Amino acid sequence: MTARDTIAAVATPRGEGGIGVIRVSGAATASIARALLGRNPTPRHAHYCAFADADGAPIDRGLLLYFKAPRSYTGEDVLELQTHGSPVVLRLLVARLVELGARHARPGEFSERAFLNGKVDLAQAEAVADLIASGSETAARAALRSLDGEFSRRVRALTAGVVRLRVWIEAAIDFPEEEIDFLAAPELRADLAAARTDLTGLLEGARRGVRLADGLHVVIVGRPNAGKSSLLNALAASERAIVTEIAGTTRDLVRETVEIDGVALTLVDTAGLRESPDVIEREGIRRARAELERADVALLVTDADGDAEADVALLADVPAGARRIVAHNKIDRCERPARREHRGDDVHLWLSAKTGAGLDLLHAELRDLATGAGGDGAWTARARHVSALERARTHLGAAASALVERNAGELAAEELREVQRALGEITGEFSTDDLLGEIFSAFCIGK
Ligand code: GDP
């Protein structure tokens, strides 16, 4: 490891009262700590001291914590100063640290160093940012699981399986004179099939992880007067939901971000989907359809007394990956009980936005969609991970057909190399400076 220059930054977000934390990392950290403390700091020991400026005048009093490389967040010598959270104090102290040889850190630079020094892999470093940005309890817990390496472990286990397959196939190519045709071995086929199953599971988990981190995007559709706004209000106003106002971005789509049972949901109420000669309404419908294209869940509201089948046709534009829920609303008018039923891939719920009957069924459905049934063990992921896994799946499929249909070992080995590469992009074994720049620049300063 080469000694990198020393960086310093305030690690607590601006405007946060109480405690202020400043972080320092790099080669000059020990000498900076010595200058502040007046003696050598004891690693992992809280020193209470006065932080003084160049003339010896105190700026603030607080705690000084020194972590010796490599046992620190970044893997370098790290110093953390806990002071009072005044922006003035923090600014003066950072200026003092700069005088003592540090420079201002760029956003995400501490986490980037942690990654470059092998303290965390790329997916774990991203989970740091996801944890900070998490908008709900479930997302925070899931981000922590990713940070602990839950996602990375699965990616590594899959990579190890792919490497074993590659070694096997390459050995079979290198020794073609062997009596037995190793490429036709049932164990090889079985391992390949198992890897494909694992990859599909991982991809599903990652898609769920993205939904968790971003919040489930629920688009409410249905004919005018079906009760869409009422249902949105009922969901947003229910005791278990915390409502955050987000200004509607258009006059036609009403958006609410709510947290239900610890899961963040963005609810979008669309203009009634129907053909209309009115220009403004047509624009609303166009936006509703565009919104549907990026829905995680399409929630169709229909009248429990009406023609549900005809309304289900409104879901024709829902993308293949999105889940569909049909809410048969207004059961209070026809005195039907609240209930849940599976019809094909769709879930049908009978409820009333007015009386609240059956809303608990809808809550449970949305929560399970966000976290996976059971809700435990979910981890966060990003769109970049999903696309890498999709690429890995394509190459793994190609490897399987090369092997099984054409007995083409060389080609299969080549495809497996691509699988390995795609998986390596997730954890950062294969990464470019551009990618790293893009990932870490989205972090906050001081992280
Ligand atoms: P939207 O056009 O789909 O957004 O429908 P609204 O939410 O504006 O509701 C249309 C009408 O149906 C309003 O008069 C609501 O009060 C009524 N409504 C909505 N949900 C229910 C329900 O569960 N039961 C009853 N009886 N009326 C409802």
PDB file of all heavy atoms in Angstrom, residues 222-231 269-270 301 329-333 351-355, ligand 1:
ATOM      1  N   GLY A 222     -56.907   3.039 -12.685  1.00  0.00           N
ATOM      2  CA  GLY A 222     -58.303   2.622 -12.653  1.00  0.00           C
ATOM      3  C   GLY A 222     -59.174   3.672 -13.305  1.00  0.00           C
ATOM      4  O   GLY A 222     -58.706   4.781 -13.590  1.00  0.00           O
ATOM      5  N   ARG A 223     -60.419   3.315 -13.522  1.00  0.00           N
ATOM      6  CA  ARG A 223     -61.328   4.267 -14.164  1.00  0.00           C
ATOM      7  C   ARG A 223     -61.645   5.420 -13.203  1.00  0.00           C
ATOM      8  O   ARG A 223     -61.531   5.250 -11.994  1.00  0.00           O
ATOM      9  CB  ARG A 223     -62.631   3.560 -14.542  1.00  0.00           C
ATOM     10  CG  ARG A 223     -62.437   2.567 -15.638  1.00  0.00           C
ATOM     11  CD  ARG A 223     -63.725   1.912 -16.069  1.00  0.00           C
ATOM     12  NE  ARG A 223     -63.376   0.745 -16.877  1.00  0.00           N
ATOM     13  CZ  ARG A 223     -62.961   0.817 -18.139  1.00  0.00           C
ATOM     14  NH1 ARG A 223     -62.859   1.994 -18.742  1.00  0.00           N
ATOM     15  NH2 ARG A 223     -62.649  -0.273 -18.803  1.00  0.00           N
ATOM     16  N   PRO A 224     -62.068   6.552 -13.759  1.00  0.00           N
ATOM     17  CA  PRO A 224     -62.469   7.663 -12.889  1.00  0.00           C
ATOM     18  C   PRO A 224     -63.545   7.187 -11.911  1.00  0.00           C
ATOM     19  O   PRO A 224     -64.390   6.356 -12.282  1.00  0.00           O
ATOM     20  CB  PRO A 224     -63.050   8.688 -13.868  1.00  0.00           C
ATOM     21  CG  PRO A 224     -62.420   8.358 -15.176  1.00  0.00           C
ATOM     22  CD  PRO A 224     -62.191   6.889 -15.188  1.00  0.00           C
ATOM     23  N   ASN A 225     -63.457   7.681 -10.695  1.00  0.00           N
ATOM     24  CA  ASN A 225     -64.444   7.382  -9.652  1.00  0.00           C
ATOM     25  C   ASN A 225     -64.360   5.991  -9.043  1.00  0.00           C
ATOM     26  O   ASN A 225     -65.206   5.612  -8.241  1.00  0.00           O
ATOM     27  CB  ASN A 225     -65.878   7.598 -10.139  1.00  0.00           C
ATOM     28  CG  ASN A 225     -66.237   9.056 -10.034  1.00  0.00           C
ATOM     29  OD1 ASN A 225     -65.757   9.745  -9.115  1.00  0.00           O
ATOM     30  ND2 ASN A 225     -67.030   9.542 -10.957  1.00  0.00           N
ATOM     31  N   ALA A 226     -63.353   5.217  -9.424  1.00  0.00           N
ATOM     32  CA  ALA A 226     -63.214   3.878  -8.847  1.00  0.00           C
ATOM     33  C   ALA A 226     -62.824   3.998  -7.371  1.00  0.00           C
ATOM     34  O   ALA A 226     -63.058   3.081  -6.578  1.00  0.00           O
ATOM     35  CB  ALA A 226     -62.170   3.073  -9.614  1.00  0.00           C
ATOM     36  N   GLY A 227     -62.202   5.143  -7.025  1.00  0.00           N
ATOM     37  CA  GLY A 227     -61.782   5.328  -5.631  1.00  0.00           C
ATOM     38  C   GLY A 227     -60.270   5.375  -5.489  1.00  0.00           C
ATOM     39  O   GLY A 227     -59.738   5.087  -4.414  1.00  0.00           O
ATOM     40  N   LYS A 228     -59.569   5.748  -6.554  1.00  0.00           N
ATOM     41  CA  LYS A 228     -58.093   5.785  -6.521  1.00  0.00           C
ATOM     42  C   LYS A 228     -57.585   6.790  -5.497  1.00  0.00           C
ATOM     43  O   LYS A 228     -56.764   6.452  -4.644  1.00  0.00           O
ATOM     44  CB  LYS A 228     -57.535   6.150  -7.904  1.00  0.00           C
ATOM     45  CG  LYS A 228     -57.845   5.138  -8.969  1.00  0.00           C
ATOM     46  CD  LYS A 228     -57.213   5.511 -10.294  1.00  0.00           C
ATOM     47  CE  LYS A 228     -57.795   6.790 -10.878  1.00  0.00           C
ATOM     48  NZ  LYS A 228     -59.231   6.734 -11.132  1.00  0.00           N
ATOM     49  N   SER A 229     -58.104   8.029  -5.577  1.00  0.00           N
ATOM     50  CA  SER A 229     -57.629   9.053  -4.630  1.00  0.00           C
ATOM     51  C   SER A 229     -57.997   8.657  -3.209  1.00  0.00           C
ATOM     52  O   SER A 229     -57.205   8.841  -2.285  1.00  0.00           O
ATOM     53  CB  SER A 229     -58.244  10.411  -4.927  1.00  0.00           C
ATOM     54  OG  SER A 229     -58.339  10.610  -6.292  1.00  0.00           O
ATOM     55  N   SER A 230     -59.181   8.107  -3.041  1.00  0.00           N
ATOM     56  CA  SER A 230     -59.599   7.702  -1.695  1.00  0.00           C
ATOM     57  C   SER A 230     -58.655   6.646  -1.141  1.00  0.00           C
ATOM     58  O   SER A 230     -58.289   6.681   0.033  1.00  0.00           O
ATOM     59  CB  SER A 230     -61.014   7.142  -1.714  1.00  0.00           C
ATOM     60  OG  SER A 230     -61.892   8.071  -2.292  1.00  0.00           O
ATOM     61  N   LEU A 231     -58.254   5.710  -1.998  1.00  0.00           N
ATOM     62  CA  LEU A 231     -57.376   4.637  -1.523  1.00  0.00           C
ATOM     63  C   LEU A 231     -55.987   5.192  -1.201  1.00  0.00           C
ATOM     64  O   LEU A 231     -55.385   4.833  -0.189  1.00  0.00           O
ATOM     65  CB  LEU A 231     -57.281   3.538  -2.581  1.00  0.00           C
ATOM     66  CG  LEU A 231     -56.667   2.226  -2.101  1.00  0.00           C
ATOM     67  CD1 LEU A 231     -57.449   1.651  -0.926  1.00  0.00           C
ATOM     68  CD2 LEU A 231     -56.610   1.200  -3.226  1.00  0.00           C
ATOM     69  N   ASP A 269     -50.872   8.447  -7.880  1.00  0.00           N
ATOM     70  CA  ASP A 269     -52.263   8.377  -8.335  1.00  0.00           C
ATOM     71  C   ASP A 269     -52.300   8.945  -9.749  1.00  0.00           C
ATOM     72  O   ASP A 269     -51.876  10.069  -9.986  1.00  0.00           O
ATOM     73  CB  ASP A 269     -53.134   9.210  -7.386  1.00  0.00           C
ATOM     74  CG  ASP A 269     -54.608   9.114  -7.751  1.00  0.00           C
ATOM     75  OD1 ASP A 269     -54.963   8.285  -8.603  1.00  0.00           O
ATOM     76  OD2 ASP A 269     -55.390   9.883  -7.168  1.00  0.00           O
ATOM     77  N   THR A 270     -52.749   8.157 -10.681  1.00  0.00           N
ATOM     78  CA  THR A 270     -52.715   8.589 -12.075  1.00  0.00           C
ATOM     79  C   THR A 270     -54.064   9.135 -12.499  1.00  0.00           C
ATOM     80  O   THR A 270     -55.082   8.878 -11.866  1.00  0.00           O
ATOM     81  CB  THR A 270     -52.391   7.397 -12.990  1.00  0.00           C
ATOM     82  OG1 THR A 270     -53.399   6.425 -12.788  1.00  0.00           O
ATOM     83  CG2 THR A 270     -51.038   6.828 -12.667  1.00  0.00           C
ATOM     84  N   VAL A 301     -57.510  -0.124  -9.205  1.00  0.00           N
ATOM     85  CA  VAL A 301     -58.682   0.035  -8.343  1.00  0.00           C
ATOM     86  C   VAL A 301     -59.913  -0.125  -9.210  1.00  0.00           C
ATOM     87  O   VAL A 301     -60.049   0.530 -10.252  1.00  0.00           O
ATOM     88  CB  VAL A 301     -58.690   1.423  -7.652  1.00  0.00           C
ATOM     89  CG1 VAL A 301     -59.871   1.509  -6.685  1.00  0.00           C
ATOM     90  CG2 VAL A 301     -57.381   1.654  -6.921  1.00  0.00           C
ATOM     91  N   ASN A 329     -62.714  -2.258  -4.768  1.00  0.00           N
ATOM     92  CA  ASN A 329     -63.024  -1.251  -3.752  1.00  0.00           C
ATOM     93  C   ASN A 329     -64.539  -1.154  -3.506  1.00  0.00           C
ATOM     94  O   ASN A 329     -65.333  -1.656  -4.277  1.00  0.00           O
ATOM     95  CB  ASN A 329     -62.453   0.089  -4.235  1.00  0.00           C
ATOM     96  CG  ASN A 329     -62.514   1.161  -3.176  1.00  0.00           C
ATOM     97  OD1 ASN A 329     -62.457   0.867  -1.980  1.00  0.00           O
ATOM     98  ND2 ASN A 329     -62.642   2.408  -3.606  1.00  0.00           N
ATOM     99  N   LYS A 330     -64.876  -0.470  -2.441  1.00  0.00           N
ATOM    100  CA  LYS A 330     -66.264  -0.143  -2.073  1.00  0.00           C
ATOM    101  C   LYS A 330     -67.057  -1.385  -1.659  1.00  0.00           C
ATOM    102  O   LYS A 330     -68.253  -1.489  -1.965  1.00  0.00           O
ATOM    103  CB  LYS A 330     -66.990   0.588  -3.222  1.00  0.00           C
ATOM    104  CG  LYS A 330     -66.218   1.800  -3.772  1.00  0.00           C
ATOM    105  CD  LYS A 330     -67.038   2.629  -4.726  1.00  0.00           C
ATOM    106  CE  LYS A 330     -66.187   3.706  -5.379  1.00  0.00           C
ATOM    107  NZ  LYS A 330     -66.904   4.588  -6.288  1.00  0.00           N
ATOM    108  N   ILE A 331     -66.412  -2.312  -0.964  1.00  0.00           N
ATOM    109  CA  ILE A 331     -67.156  -3.507  -0.525  1.00  0.00           C
ATOM    110  C   ILE A 331     -68.231  -3.133   0.488  1.00  0.00           C
ATOM    111  O   ILE A 331     -69.175  -3.897   0.700  1.00  0.00           O
ATOM    112  CB  ILE A 331     -66.238  -4.614   0.086  1.00  0.00           C
ATOM    113  CG1 ILE A 331     -65.374  -4.038   1.205  1.00  0.00           C
ATOM    114  CG2 ILE A 331     -65.396  -5.297  -0.968  1.00  0.00           C
ATOM    115  CD1 ILE A 331     -64.681  -5.119   2.028  1.00  0.00           C
ATOM    116  N   ASP A 332     -68.083  -1.959   1.119  1.00  0.00           N
ATOM    117  CA  ASP A 332     -69.117  -1.537   2.083  1.00  0.00           C
ATOM    118  C   ASP A 332     -70.474  -1.368   1.413  1.00  0.00           C
ATOM    119  O   ASP A 332     -71.519  -1.543   2.032  1.00  0.00           O
ATOM    120  CB  ASP A 332     -68.686  -0.231   2.775  1.00  0.00           C
ATOM    121  CG  ASP A 332     -68.392   0.869   1.782  1.00  0.00           C
ATOM    122  OD1 ASP A 332     -67.494   0.685   0.926  1.00  0.00           O
ATOM    123  OD2 ASP A 332     -69.050   1.911   1.826  1.00  0.00           O
ATOM    124  N   ARG A 333     -70.445  -1.065   0.111  1.00  0.00           N
ATOM    125  CA  ARG A 333     -71.723  -0.834  -0.577  1.00  0.00           C
ATOM    126  C   ARG A 333     -72.429  -2.123  -0.940  1.00  0.00           C
ATOM    127  O   ARG A 333     -73.637  -2.155  -1.090  1.00  0.00           O
ATOM    128  CB  ARG A 333     -71.492  -0.006  -1.848  1.00  0.00           C
ATOM    129  CG  ARG A 333     -71.244   1.464  -1.533  1.00  0.00           C
ATOM    130  CD  ARG A 333     -71.707   2.309  -2.677  1.00  0.00           C
ATOM    131  NE  ARG A 333     -71.250   1.759  -3.943  1.00  0.00           N
ATOM    132  CZ  ARG A 333     -70.890   2.477  -4.987  1.00  0.00           C
ATOM    133  NH1 ARG A 333     -70.941   3.781  -4.914  1.00  0.00           N
ATOM    134  NH2 ARG A 333     -70.492   1.899  -6.085  1.00  0.00           N
ATOM    135  N   LEU A 351     -61.755  -4.716  -0.595  1.00  0.00           N
ATOM    136  CA  LEU A 351     -61.550  -3.766   0.498  1.00  0.00           C
ATOM    137  C   LEU A 351     -62.436  -2.540   0.338  1.00  0.00           C
ATOM    138  O   LEU A 351     -63.189  -2.427  -0.642  1.00  0.00           O
ATOM    139  CB  LEU A 351     -60.071  -3.352   0.555  1.00  0.00           C
ATOM    140  CG  LEU A 351     -59.388  -2.937  -0.758  1.00  0.00           C
ATOM    141  CD1 LEU A 351     -59.750  -1.537  -1.154  1.00  0.00           C
ATOM    142  CD2 LEU A 351     -57.884  -3.047  -0.595  1.00  0.00           C
ATOM    143  N   SER A 352     -62.347  -1.654   1.304  1.00  0.00           N
ATOM    144  CA  SER A 352     -63.076  -0.394   1.221  1.00  0.00           C
ATOM    145  C   SER A 352     -62.169   0.745   1.665  1.00  0.00           C
ATOM    146  O   SER A 352     -61.708   0.763   2.798  1.00  0.00           O
ATOM    147  CB  SER A 352     -64.328  -0.435   2.106  1.00  0.00           C
ATOM    148  OG  SER A 352     -64.830   0.877   2.257  1.00  0.00           O
ATOM    149  N   ALA A 353     -61.942   1.669   0.728  1.00  0.00           N
ATOM    150  CA  ALA A 353     -61.117   2.837   1.067  1.00  0.00           C
ATOM    151  C   ALA A 353     -61.871   3.687   2.082  1.00  0.00           C
ATOM    152  O   ALA A 353     -61.264   4.383   2.889  1.00  0.00           O
ATOM    153  CB  ALA A 353     -60.823   3.652  -0.188  1.00  0.00           C
ATOM    154  N   LYS A 354     -63.194   3.600   2.059  1.00  0.00           N
ATOM    155  CA  LYS A 354     -64.006   4.459   2.918  1.00  0.00           C
ATOM    156  C   LYS A 354     -64.012   3.965   4.369  1.00  0.00           C
ATOM    157  O   LYS A 354     -63.754   4.742   5.279  1.00  0.00           O
ATOM    158  CB  LYS A 354     -65.425   4.503   2.369  1.00  0.00           C
ATOM    159  CG  LYS A 354     -66.295   5.529   3.034  1.00  0.00           C
ATOM    160  CD  LYS A 354     -67.597   5.660   2.271  1.00  0.00           C
ATOM    161  CE  LYS A 354     -68.570   6.567   3.006  1.00  0.00           C
ATOM    162  NZ  LYS A 354     -69.856   6.598   2.290  1.00  0.00           N
ATOM    163  N   THR A 355     -64.284   2.656   4.552  1.00  0.00           N
ATOM    164  CA  THR A 355     -64.380   2.157   5.933  1.00  0.00           C
ATOM    165  C   THR A 355     -63.031   1.639   6.438  1.00  0.00           C
ATOM    166  O   THR A 355     -62.852   1.441   7.627  1.00  0.00           O
ATOM    167  CB  THR A 355     -65.387   0.994   6.032  1.00  0.00           C
ATOM    168  OG1 THR A 355     -64.851  -0.113   5.271  1.00  0.00           O
ATOM    169  CG2 THR A 355     -66.740   1.390   5.481  1.00  0.00           C
TER     170      THR A 355
HETATM  171  P1  GDP B   1     -61.007   8.372  -8.293  1.00  0.00           P
HETATM  172  O1  GDP B   1     -61.601   9.187  -9.358  1.00  0.00           O
HETATM  173  O2  GDP B   1     -60.734   6.972  -8.764  1.00  0.00           O
HETATM  174  O3  GDP B   1     -59.800   8.983  -7.662  1.00  0.00           O
HETATM  175  O4  GDP B   1     -62.141   8.188  -7.168  1.00  0.00           O
HETATM  176  P2  GDP B   1     -62.329   8.970  -5.790  1.00  0.00           P
HETATM  177  O5  GDP B   1     -61.368   8.497  -4.767  1.00  0.00           O
HETATM  178  O6  GDP B   1     -62.426  10.419  -6.051  1.00  0.00           O
HETATM  179  O7  GDP B   1     -63.743   8.389  -5.360  1.00  0.00           O
HETATM  180  C1  GDP B   1     -64.907   8.534  -6.166  1.00  0.00           C
HETATM  181  C2  GDP B   1     -66.130   8.447  -5.284  1.00  0.00           C
HETATM  182  O8  GDP B   1     -66.241   7.147  -4.697  1.00  0.00           O
HETATM  183  C3  GDP B   1     -66.101   9.425  -4.129  1.00  0.00           C
HETATM  184  O9  GDP B   1     -67.388   9.936  -3.947  1.00  0.00           O
HETATM  185  C4  GDP B   1     -65.712   8.578  -2.931  1.00  0.00           C
HETATM  186  O10 GDP B   1     -66.199   9.079  -1.722  1.00  0.00           O
HETATM  187  C5  GDP B   1     -66.335   7.251  -3.273  1.00  0.00           C
HETATM  188  N1  GDP B   1     -65.623   6.124  -2.672  1.00  0.00           N
HETATM  189  C6  GDP B   1     -64.314   5.851  -2.743  1.00  0.00           C
HETATM  190  N2  GDP B   1     -64.021   4.723  -2.070  1.00  0.00           N
HETATM  191  C7  GDP B   1     -65.197   4.266  -1.547  1.00  0.00           C
HETATM  192  C8  GDP B   1     -65.539   3.134  -0.728  1.00  0.00           C
HETATM  193  O11 GDP B   1     -64.740   2.296  -0.338  1.00  0.00           O
HETATM  194  N3  GDP B   1     -66.849   3.004  -0.403  1.00  0.00           N
HETATM  195  C9  GDP B   1     -67.794   3.917  -0.806  1.00  0.00           C
HETATM  196  N4  GDP B   1     -69.047   3.702  -0.431  1.00  0.00           N
HETATM  197  N5  GDP B   1     -67.493   4.977  -1.565  1.00  0.00           N
HETATM  198  C10 GDP B   1     -66.215   5.176  -1.926  1.00  0.00           C
END
